Amino acid sequence: MDKKIPVAVLGATGTVGQKFITLLENHPWFTVSELVASPRSAGKTYEEACAWKQDKPIPTEIAKKTVLAAGESLESRILFSGMDASVAGPIEEDYANAGHFVVSNAKNHRTDSDVPIIIPEVNADHFEIIKKQPYKGAIVTNSNCVVMPLAMVLSPLDKAFGVEWVQLTTLQAISGAGYPGVASYDILGNVVPFIGGEEPKVECEAQKIMGRLENDHIVDADFVVSAQCTRVPVVDGHTETASIKFKKKPTPDQVKEILRNWKSMPQEKKLPSAPENPVIVFEEENRPQPARDIWLQGGMAACVGRVRECPIGDIKMVIMGHNTVRGAAGAAILNAEAFVALGYLD
Amino acid sequence: MDKKIPVAVLGATGTVGQKFITLLENHPWFTVSELVASPRSAGKTYEEACAWKQDKPIPTEIAKKTVLAAGESLESRILFSGMDASVAGPIEEDYANAGHFVVSNAKNHRTDSDVPIIIPEVNADHFEIIKKQPYKGAIVTNSNCVVMPLAMVLSPLDKAFGVEWVQLTTLQAISGAGYPGVASYDILGNVVPFIGGEEPKVECEAQKIMGRLENDHIVDADFVVSAQCTRVPVVDGHTETASIKFKKKPTPDQVKEILRNWKSMPQEKKLPSAPENPVIVFEEENRPQPARDIWLQGGMAACVGRVRECPIGDIKMVIMGHNTVRGAAGAAILNAEAFVALGYLD
Amino acid sequence: MDKKIPVAVLGATGTVGQKFITLLENHPWFTVSELVASPRSAGKTYEEACAWKQDKPIPTEIAKKTVLAAGESLESRILFSGMDASVAGPIEEDYANAGHFVVSNAKNHRTDSDVPIIIPEVNADHFEIIKKQPYKGAIVTNSNCVVMPLAMVLSPLDKAFGVEWVQLTTLQAISGAGYPGVASYDILGNVVPFIGGEEPKVECEAQKIMGRLENDHIVDADFVVSAQCTRVPVVDGHTETASIKFKKKPTPDQVKEILRNWKSMPQEKKLPSAPENPVIVFEEENRPQPARDIWLQGGMAACVGRVRECPIGDIKMVIMGHNTVRGAAGAAILNAEAFVALGYLD
Amino acid sequence: MDKKIPVAVLGATGTVGQKFITLLENHPWFTVSELVASPRSAGKTYEEACAWKQDKPIPTEIAKKTVLAAGESLESRILFSGMDASVAGPIEEDYANAGHFVVSNAKNHRTDSDVPIIIPEVNADHFEIIKKQPYKGAIVTNSNCVVMPLAMVLSPLDKAFGVEWVQLTTLQAISGAGYPGVASYDILGNVVPFIGGEEPKVECEAQKIMGRLENDHIVDADFVVSAQCTRVPVVDGHTETASIKFKKKPTPDQVKEILRNWKSMPQEKKLPSAPENPVIVFEEENRPQPARDIWLQGGMAACVGRVRECPIGDIKMVIMGHNTVRGAAGAAILNAEAFVALGYLD
């Protein structure tokens, strides 16, 4: 790529917006050229407008950029949306109408029948349905942060053995709630066994992602997910325990072999943010752990451990992924890379 | 009771031993008269021998008592055993042989066919099998700390609807690992998705407890439990998510009503440590929580919340209990109270 | 006392208000008869209006009481104020004008020259200055939660050796920030070396409390406090390291002896909330610790440890106290008890 | 440098040893060629012998290397010692006798009059005293992890204004205690106001480091440090509050300017591990924070914030540094780089 593609970040001052900026620093294809936030931040420099919470400094070339107000016209064709769901819906539509490609992490349009939820390793073919969208541009989304590593694990297993159902319990990190998010008084030394609105998303997004494209619409996969979502005092990294029932019962070794060998489009096309292996399988009985393993392969892999037989389902296992990288900003960036690599920007 | 019954605490300096001493302070029936620990501690005063970790001080009358060595002959008839599993087995047998009633929290004898695992609300009739024991005295155990609230919830539901299987994930507190137990470097801001030896215990103890007594032996109940046990950065209080399949599918309201109305022998006989309601059912969608709810009813109740339908099992719910009170020392004390109330000491 | 004195709680639904209600349950002198909160809560029952965060349930007789709006006329003569500082100022004045005795935990009037900051062990004589107040009733305050244990330690030492200066660093619990207070993302596994507005309070309140009453006004004590206040991931219990310079250098043993033997008016009059010893001195080199020691003497004592020589000041030590009990609601209750015991209510 | 210098890591399987291996991966000058640990580990591959706790995997070329037993003869001239203090003393001497240059993080030899404690920015001239050592090789040490950022801050200020005394309180991370180190039960939601053996080290090492070289021996600087060391539930990053008294009182602005402009030998010679600025000064009132700032400049800088006047000393401030990078393994690596750059290896 001769020249970097300018991109904008919508919701640039928020938690996901900050992660976009951190992950896009030195990106080989994209360069952040426009920062968009609420009217309250507009007109300020980014460093003035933003309560920066990342563990490396604001990139120098970003710090002094002036923040634009959501709604202003933009020059970038690709817009990364880290906007809060309370405002993302119509703003994303307006920009798509104006011809932009909105690569969104917000949940608002995920259930629209003409908006794909993309995991490039799983369903890059779903990009096709954007042609049904009424916009001059398009909206593309990534999944919920719990669904991301789950669908990455289920997809190759479904092809091999057919998934019937998944019983899931999550132990979710606080960064998933944004900022200020969870009050410390509620979570320090505690478990909160409920996350508002989470379980319905977790129980249906994987079926859409793993659905098949048929005459330009998606027919959802027909397995069942039952989720119990909890919040634990961990900063980054969602842990999930899963028991999976298959149509054809595999052995634990077969499951591990398929997961370890799985590679797909992002790996084949060597997309810049693609993990070398989308799924890492541990043999150590006490892994994966968020504090040790979230940064493997740049935070872009799903980590799996304790693959063993289940006396109720067929196989149980522990799944873990970086919720703000592969589960949010990193996912959207990989989606944009796939979008470009597949020629949709041309 | 005119005069208090003298009792001994085996493993008095350890985590569970300290909890016995704290919970037995001002007990209306029992008074701690002998403290037993390893030979290393023997001969010292309790306060010298013990790295006390409770949040109230060592009771004055205990602090200056001289610690006896495990194996020395004792005068108390009832011995509470908080010994570590690495040593508890033969020492408990020796004391039982010598005519003592060992009320143990250790796992060593739980799987012996003639040793009952007692939850007085559930299976006080199982005390009968101690008559099969070869000892002059007897050994009685309580369950694992995860199984305790689980079996308290399953027992009344099994009677009403028949349990087929339980898919369980646990989020366990660090105090369950004793002291020094889990290294802070392993658990601060982390989840460890494995606890050595825990899942096999969790998968089989409830079936023995809920088994039926038949010709002086116990026929295990025949439901299946599949467990995934994790450690989380919580000090006290194990949280469990459960999906339960019944023989006859109940509604969530039926489940809640049965749990709320359940009372049993300890409540009827008003045993000193019995909770008023063995199971507390929450309607708030974000409860129970360990940091808020472990001390309800003196830490002796099982807390239940989020009772709702499951698309795979019939009902899913969150269960939480105080692992070192109802899940350990408090359970043994209630067992001893039941033992006395039912006339086994006479 | 024949009949309990009815009291009101202002700011009843907040963090401090909840603590008042918890600590006043079964109080031998006072009974909570009126609950006052913002107009938003008024008219609701307390349990509807309140996001209860204590680890025991709302007292039954409180749960169904209707919340009154701040400003409404009240029948109770004693009003405990746990209101937020953003609103407490004028409301407390209005109630004092109307003849009530406002025993406040808010900071608003602490610096008024005619409002005493009372620690009954230290300066019960300062109640006298309320006679200078323009109100029909009166306003009495307690100190900041950091100053409380500090002044309890400094006061007897000042009498014996004369305090010149105190170099102080605090490690403060999150409960001091109210609810929602500190975002978990800011404090989980972290230290925040700043607490807005805290250091100025910490550097001047002890001097007023330890000042001498002279012609009905208080002449501040003239020692210097330099404070560095930090927030740490602890739920309850502020830890403080202090280096103290005295006019007359004591030995560590002299310091410990004076602190251990110190008793004062609340102990002599056996006020219901008075700790038996206002200061507890530890010999163990790793105490006091918030997780182990906050509940000693009902959370009403100042805990001191590691008393030793300092090569810069004369003596250094660690001080720890329960910030929401002796440092907030419990302090106000003890103040009200002293107020009554000294006849100010008659 | 044409060819990388082979180095050995002593204590390779421990916490500091692991950090050495992580930080030396891809080092431009050094390559880890020998791994040395206790006889228990000897003969195993590194990945077998080691309970790896870092958040990136064991470097591939290290994982399969066979571990050597401490005491075996080695080929590397430079040995990084991350050995535990309980064994480091004589083993380091033996290797020095055998002609090796031992760059040690252990405390054992720090107080030897002929062993320098080096911070290359501060006292690279102290390398000279190794000529007094009786060994064919030499032993060089780095300071305690608390002293490191403290001395980096004090050194340039001492030159400008003369340090008289420093009143210091530390809030230290658990990783400083090694593994398993602090029990989670002791530190989760808690503060432990004592660290065995720490305060004496903290109170004297800076004076040696900042001492002047006179006829081949070091005359310690003569300021006084008084330390109160506490442990807090933070994984990495020691926070310190300091009040400093100078011979000539500076303004906060003067202090900040000197710290910001300070560069020294490692910066001038562009040593590979040297931070661009040894001291980073924050203007934000709530920084530095361990969770946000430890990785600035690769974890090799001292972070300073809240520089302001002190009513007792002259200036107070908050200092923070990465205790296992600049405070341990990273410090030793920088020392070795300085050692090589100054020609001592030739």
Side-chain angles (χ1 to χ4, degrees):
Chain A
M1 210 154 288
D2 282 2
K3 205 163 152 266
K4 288 194 184 179
I5 300 168
V7 300
V9 177
L10 309 181
T13 56
T15 307
V16 179
Q18 293 182 22
K19 205 59 149 185
F20 273 123
I21 287 165
T22 301
L23 294 176
L24 287 168
E25 192 179 6
N26 304 320
H27 192 281
W29 295 3
F30 303 132
T31 185
V32 175
S33 105
E34 290 165 309
L35 302 166
V36 182
S38 71
R40 204 181 51 249
S41 297
K44 297 182 186 166
T45 63
Y46 185 70
E47 68 182 358
E48 283 165 2
C50 179
W52 184 255
K53 297 280 174 187
Q54 307 303 305
D55 64 1
K56 38 189 203 167
I58 304 178
T60 321
E61 70 283 7
I62 299 292
K64 300 295 181 194
K65 251 187 216 305
T66 302
V67 175
L68 306 172
E72 283 189 55
S73 77
L74 299 174
E75 295 185 352
S76 310
R77 293 180 69 201
I78 294 178
L79 316 185
F80 288 108
S81 169
M83 282 188 289
D84 193 80
S86 60
V87 298
I91 298 173
E92 292 182 355
E93 286 179 41
D94 290 349
Y95 279 120
N97 264 325
H100 299 278
F101 297 100
V102 180
V103 184
S104 175
N105 182 61
K107 70 178 179 190
N108 306 59
H109 293 289
R110 284 187 206 149
T111 51
D112 295 0
S113 66
D114 55 4
V115 172
I117 309 176
I118 298 287
I119 301 178
E121 284 92 342
V122 173
N123 64 338
D125 58 325
H126 288 196
F127 276 125
E128 281 298 299
I129 67 165
I130 64 174
K131 295 176 178 167
K132 294 272 194 176
Q133 292 182 8
Y135 315 121
K136 193 176 151 204
I139 298 175
V140 167
T141 66
N142 53 264
S143 76
N144 169 280
C145 49
V146 165
V147 174
M148 176 58 67
L150 177 65
M152 288 169 71
V153 166
L154 292 181
S155 172
L157 297 179
D158 188 45
K159 288 209 179 69
F161 312 112
V163 173
E164 269 192 22
W165 54 249
V166 184
Q167 190 92 43
L168 194 78
T169 291
T170 69
L171 296 82
Q172 298 184 224
I174 56 159
S175 61
Y179 185 85
V182 186
S184 55
Y185 192 79
D186 283 334
I187 199 66
L188 204 59
N190 200 15
V191 167
V192 179
F194 177 72
I195 299 175
E198 191 79 352
E199 292 172 2
K201 280 182 285 182
V202 170
E203 294 186 344
C204 73
E205 288 187 7
Q207 291 89 331
K208 178 172 177 177
I209 296 165
M210 292 164 59
R212 69 179 188 283
L213 193 67
E214 207 166 80
N215 302 323
D216 286 359
H217 74 279
I218 296 164
V219 180
D220 285 5
D222 66 352
F223 56 85
V224 175
V225 176
S226 176
Q228 306 217 50
C229 295
T230 76
R231 187 78 70 191
V232 293
V234 166
V235 175
D236 286 314
H238 289 354
T239 302
E240 312 174 13
T241 65
S243 168
I244 310 172
K245 182 77 179 174
F246 294 98
K247 297 200 170 87
K248 185 184 147 199
K249 179 174 177 160
T251 66
D253 281 343
Q254 289 174 317
V255 166
K256 289 191 276 186
E257 195 188 343
I258 282 180
L259 293 177
R260 281 189 175 126
N261 293 333
W262 186 50
K263 299 209 177 192
S264 188
M265 184 275 261
Q267 286 71 40
E268 288 150 18
K269 290 195 179 285
K270 296 187 189 302
L271 300 184
S273 301
E276 197 184 315
N277 295 287
V279 179
I280 298 170
V281 181
F282 288 81
E283 288 297 328
E284 297 90 333
E285 64 190 356
N286 63 356
R287 301 292 273 272
Q289 297 176 15
R292 301 275 173 276
D293 303 316
I294 45 170
W295 286 111
L296 293 178
Q297 308 216 356
M300 291 297 289
C303 297
V304 168
R306 306 201 69 213
V307 178
R308 59 212 195 280
E309 294 205 351
C310 177
I312 297 172
D314 295 321
I315 294 287
K316 48 187 176 180
M317 64 174 69
V318 174
I319 303 170
M320 198 277 301
H322 195 315
N323 58 301
T324 67
V325 179
R326 186 69 206 231
I333 294 171
L334 185 64
N335 281 353
E337 292 168 4
F339 191 83
V340 170
L342 294 171
Y344 286 99
L345 195 65
D346 305 329
Chain B
M1 212 153 285
D2 283 1
K3 204 162 154 269
K4 290 194 186 178
I5 300 168
V7 300
V9 177
L10 310 181
T13 56
T15 307
V16 178
Q18 294 182 22
K19 205 60 148 185
F20 273 123
I21 287 166
T22 301
L23 294 175
L24 288 169
E25 192 178 7
N26 304 318
H27 192 280
W29 295 3
F30 302 132
T31 185
V32 174
S33 103
E34 292 165 309
L35 302 167
V36 183
S38 70
R40 203 181 52 249
S41 298
K44 298 182 187 168
T45 64
Y46 185 70
E47 66 182 0
E48 284 165 0
C50 179
W52 186 255
K53 296 281 175 185
Q54 308 302 306
D55 65 0
K56 37 187 204 169
I58 303 179
T60 321
E61 70 282 8
I62 299 293
K64 300 294 180 196
K65 251 188 217 305
T66 302
V67 175
L68 305 172
E72 284 189 52
S73 78
L74 300 174
E75 296 186 350
S76 309
R77 293 182 67 203
I78 294 177
L79 316 185
F80 288 108
S81 168
M83 281 187 289
D84 192 80
S86 60
V87 297
I91 297 174
E92 292 183 354
E93 286 180 42
D94 289 348
Y95 279 121
N97 264 326
H100 298 278
F101 297 100
V102 180
V103 185
S104 175
N105 182 61
K107 70 177 180 189
N108 306 57
H109 294 287
R110 284 187 205 149
T111 52
D112 295 0
S113 66
D114 55 5
V115 173
I117 308 175
I118 298 287
I119 301 177
E121 284 92 342
V122 173
N123 64 340
D125 58 326
H126 288 196
F127 276 126
E128 280 299 299
I129 67 165
I130 64 173
K131 294 177 178 165
K132 294 273 193 176
Q133 293 182 8
Y135 315 120
K136 192 176 153 204
I139 297 175
V140 167
T141 66
N142 52 263
S143 76
N144 169 281
C145 50
V146 165
V147 174
M148 176 59 67
L150 178 65
M152 289 170 72
V153 166
L154 292 182
S155 171
L157 297 179
D158 188 45
K159 288 209 177 68
F161 312 113
V163 172
E164 271 193 20
W165 53 250
V166 184
Q167 189 93 43
L168 194 78
T169 292
T170 68
L171 297 81
Q172 298 185 224
I174 56 159
S175 60
Y179 186 84
V182 185
S184 54
Y185 192 78
D186 282 334
I187 199 64
L188 203 59
N190 199 14
V191 167
V192 179
F194 176 73
I195 299 175
E198 191 78 353
E199 292 171 3
K201 282 183 283 181
V202 170
E203 294 186 344
C204 73
E205 289 187 8
Q207 290 89 329
K208 177 171 179 177
I209 296 165
M210 291 164 59
R212 66 179 191 285
L213 192 67
E214 207 168 80
N215 302 326
D216 287 357
H217 74 280
I218 297 164
V219 180
D220 284 5
D222 67 351
F223 55 87
V224 175
V225 176
S226 174
Q228 306 217 49
C229 294
T230 76
R231 188 79 69 190
V232 293
V234 165
V235 174
D236 286 315
H238 288 354
T239 303
E240 310 174 15
T241 64
S243 168
I244 310 172
K245 181 77 177 174
F246 293 99
K247 297 200 170 89
K248 184 184 147 199
K249 178 176 179 158
T251 66
D253 282 343
Q254 289 173 317
V255 166
K256 290 191 275 187
E257 197 188 341
I258 282 180
L259 293 176
R260 281 188 176 127
N261 292 335
W262 185 51
K263 299 209 176 191
S264 187
M265 185 275 260
Q267 287 70 40
E268 288 150 18
K269 291 198 179 282
K270 296 186 190 303
L271 300 185
S273 301
E276 199 184 315
N277 295 286
V279 179
I280 299 170
V281 181
F282 288 80
E283 289 296 330
E284 297 90 334
E285 63 189 357
N286 62 356
R287 301 292 274 270
Q289 296 176 15
R292 301 277 172 273
D293 303 316
I294 45 170
W295 285 112
L296 294 178
Q297 308 215 0
M300 290 298 288
C303 297
V304 168
R306 306 201 68 213
V307 179
R308 59 211 194 282
E309 294 203 350
C310 178
I312 297 172
D314 294 322
I315 294 287
K316 48 187 176 180
M317 64 175 67
V318 175
I319 303 170
M320 197 278 302
H322 196 314
N323 58 301
T324 67
V325 179
R326 186 69 206 230
I333 294 172
L334 187 64
N335 281 353
E337 292 169 2
F339 190 83
V340 170
L342 294 171
Y344 286 99
L345 196 65
D346 304 330
Chain C
M1 211 156 283
D2 283 1
K3 204 162 154 269
K4 289 195 185 178
I5 300 168
V7 300
V9 177
L10 310 181
T13 56
T15 306
V16 179
Q18 293 183 22
K19 205 59 147 187
F20 273 124
I21 287 166
T22 301
L23 294 175
L24 287 168
E25 193 178 7
N26 304 319
H27 192 280
W29 295 4
F30 303 132
T31 184
V32 175
S33 105
E34 290 165 309
L35 302 166
V36 183
S38 70
R40 203 181 52 247
S41 297
K44 298 182 187 167
T45 64
Y46 185 70
E47 67 180 359
E48 284 165 1
C50 180
W52 185 255
K53 296 281 174 185
Q54 307 302 306
D55 64 1
K56 38 189 204 165
I58 303 178
T60 321
E61 70 282 8
I62 299 293
K64 300 293 182 196
K65 252 188 216 301
T66 302
V67 175
L68 307 172
E72 283 191 52
S73 77
L74 299 174
E75 295 185 352
S76 310
R77 293 181 68 204
I78 293 177
L79 315 185
F80 289 107
S81 169
M83 281 188 289
D84 191 80
S86 61
V87 297
I91 298 174
E92 291 183 354
E93 285 180 43
D94 289 349
Y95 279 119
N97 264 326
H100 299 279
F101 296 100
V102 180
V103 184
S104 175
N105 181 61
K107 69 178 179 188
N108 306 60
H109 293 288
R110 285 186 205 151
T111 51
D112 295 359
S113 65
D114 55 5
V115 173
I117 308 176
I118 298 287
I119 301 177
E121 285 92 342
V122 173
N123 64 340
D125 58 325
H126 287 196
F127 276 126
E128 280 299 299
I129 67 166
I130 64 174
K131 294 176 179 167
K132 294 273 192 177
Q133 292 182 8
Y135 315 120
K136 193 177 153 201
I139 298 174
V140 166
T141 66
N142 53 264
S143 76
N144 169 281
C145 50
V146 165
V147 174
M148 176 59 67
L150 177 66
M152 289 170 70
V153 166
L154 292 182
S155 172
L157 297 179
D158 188 45
K159 288 209 178 68
F161 312 113
V163 172
E164 270 192 22
W165 54 250
V166 184
Q167 188 94 43
L168 194 77
T169 292
T170 68
L171 296 82
Q172 297 184 224
I174 56 159
S175 61
Y179 185 84
V182 185
S184 55
Y185 193 78
D186 282 334
I187 200 65
L188 204 59
N190 199 15
V191 167
V192 179
F194 176 72
I195 299 175
E198 191 79 353
E199 291 171 4
K201 283 183 283 183
V202 171
E203 294 186 344
C204 74
E205 288 187 7
Q207 290 89 330
K208 177 172 178 176
I209 296 166
M210 291 164 59
R212 68 178 189 283
L213 193 66
E214 206 167 82
N215 302 324
D216 286 359
H217 74 279
I218 296 164
V219 180
D220 284 5
D222 66 352
F223 56 85
V224 175
V225 175
S226 174
Q228 305 217 50
C229 294
T230 77
R231 187 78 71 190
V232 293
V234 165
V235 174
D236 286 316
H238 288 353
T239 303
E240 311 174 14
T241 64
S243 167
I244 310 173
K245 181 78 178 173
F246 294 98
K247 297 201 170 88
K248 186 183 145 199
K249 179 175 177 160
T251 66
D253 282 342
Q254 289 173 316
V255 165
K256 289 191 276 187
E257 196 188 343
I258 282 180
L259 293 177
R260 281 189 176 125
N261 293 334
W262 185 51
K263 298 210 176 190
S264 187
M265 185 276 260
Q267 286 71 39
E268 288 150 19
K269 290 196 180 284
K270 296 186 189 305
L271 300 185
S273 301
E276 199 185 314
N277 295 287
V279 179
I280 298 169
V281 180
F282 288 80
E283 288 297 330
E284 296 90 333
E285 63 190 357
N286 62 356
R287 302 292 274 269
Q289 296 176 16
R292 302 275 172 275
D293 303 316
I294 47 171
W295 285 111
L296 293 178
Q297 308 217 357
M300 290 299 287
C303 298
V304 168
R306 306 203 67 214
V307 178
R308 60 210 193 280
E309 293 204 352
C310 178
I312 297 172
D314 294 322
I315 294 287
K316 48 187 177 181
M317 64 176 66
V318 174
I319 303 170
M320 199 277 301
H322 196 315
N323 58 302
T324 67
V325 179
R326 187 69 207 229
I333 294 172
L334 186 64
N335 281 353
E337 293 168 3
F339 190 83
V340 170
L342 294 171
Y344 286 99
L345 197 64
D346 304 330
Chain D
M1 212 154 284
D2 282 1
K3 203 163 154 266
K4 289 197 186 177
I5 300 168
V7 300
V9 176
L10 309 180
T13 57
T15 307
V16 179
Q18 293 182 22
K19 205 59 148 187
F20 273 123
I21 287 165
T22 302
L23 294 176
L24 287 168
E25 192 178 8
N26 304 319
H27 192 280
W29 295 2
F30 303 133
T31 185
V32 175
S33 103
E34 291 166 309
L35 302 167
V36 183
S38 71
R40 204 180 51 249
S41 297
K44 297 181 188 169
T45 64
Y46 185 71
E47 67 181 359
E48 283 166 1
C50 178
W52 185 255
K53 296 282 174 184
Q54 307 302 307
D55 64 1
K56 37 188 205 167
I58 304 179
T60 321
E61 70 282 8
I62 299 292
K64 299 294 183 196
K65 251 188 216 305
T66 301
V67 175
L68 306 171
E72 284 189 51
S73 77
L74 300 174
E75 296 185 351
S76 308
R77 293 181 68 202
I78 294 179
L79 316 184
F80 289 108
S81 169
M83 280 188 289
D84 193 79
S86 61
V87 297
I91 297 174
E92 292 182 354
E93 285 179 43
D94 289 348
Y95 279 120
N97 264 326
H100 299 278
F101 297 100
V102 180
V103 184
S104 175
N105 182 60
K107 70 177 180 189
N108 306 58
H109 293 287
R110 285 187 205 149
T111 51
D112 296 359
S113 66
D114 55 5
V115 173
I117 308 176
I118 298 286
I119 302 177
E121 283 92 343
V122 173
N123 64 339
D125 58 326
H126 287 197
F127 276 126
E128 280 298 300
I129 67 166
I130 63 174
K131 294 175 179 166
K132 294 272 193 177
Q133 293 182 8
Y135 315 120
K136 191 174 154 205
I139 298 174
V140 167
T141 67
N142 53 263
S143 76
N144 169 280
C145 49
V146 165
V147 174
M148 176 59 66
L150 178 65
M152 289 169 72
V153 167
L154 292 181
S155 172
L157 297 179
D158 188 46
K159 288 209 178 67
F161 312 113
V163 172
E164 271 193 20
W165 53 250
V166 184
Q167 189 92 45
L168 194 78
T169 291
T170 68
L171 297 82
Q172 298 184 224
I174 55 159
S175 60
Y179 186 84
V182 186
S184 55
Y185 192 77
D186 283 333
I187 199 65
L188 203 59
N190 199 15
V191 167
V192 179
F194 177 72
I195 298 174
E198 191 80 352
E199 292 171 3
K201 281 182 285 181
V202 170
E203 294 186 344
C204 74
E205 288 187 8
Q207 292 89 330
K208 177 171 179 178
I209 296 165
M210 292 163 59
R212 67 179 190 285
L213 193 67
E214 208 167 78
N215 301 325
D216 285 358
H217 74 279
I218 296 164
V219 180
D220 284 5
D222 67 351
F223 56 86
V224 175
V225 175
S226 175
Q228 305 217 49
C229 294
T230 77
R231 187 78 70 192
V232 294
V234 165
V235 175
D236 287 314
H238 288 354
T239 303
E240 312 174 13
T241 65
S243 168
I244 310 172
K245 182 77 178 174
F246 294 98
K247 297 201 169 88
K248 185 183 146 198
K249 178 175 178 159
T251 66
D253 282 343
Q254 289 174 316
V255 165
K256 290 191 276 187
E257 197 189 341
I258 282 179
L259 293 177
R260 281 188 177 126
N261 293 334
W262 185 52
K263 299 210 176 190
S264 188
M265 185 276 261
Q267 287 71 40
E268 288 150 19
K269 291 195 180 282
K270 297 188 188 304
L271 300 184
S273 301
E276 197 184 315
N277 295 286
V279 179
I280 298 170
V281 181
F282 288 80
E283 288 297 328
E284 296 90 333
E285 64 190 357
N286 62 357
R287 302 293 275 270
Q289 297 176 15
R292 301 276 173 275
D293 303 316
I294 45 169
W295 285 111
L296 294 178
Q297 308 217 357
M300 290 297 288
C303 298
V304 167
R306 306 201 69 214
V307 178
R308 59 211 196 281
E309 294 204 350
C310 177
I312 296 172
D314 294 322
I315 293 287
K316 49 187 175 181
M317 65 174 67
V318 174
I319 303 170
M320 198 278 301
H322 195 314
N323 56 300
T324 66
V325 179
R326 187 68 206 231
I333 294 171
L334 186 64
N335 280 353
E337 293 168 2
F339 191 82
V340 170
L342 294 171
Y344 286 99
L345 196 65
D346 303 331

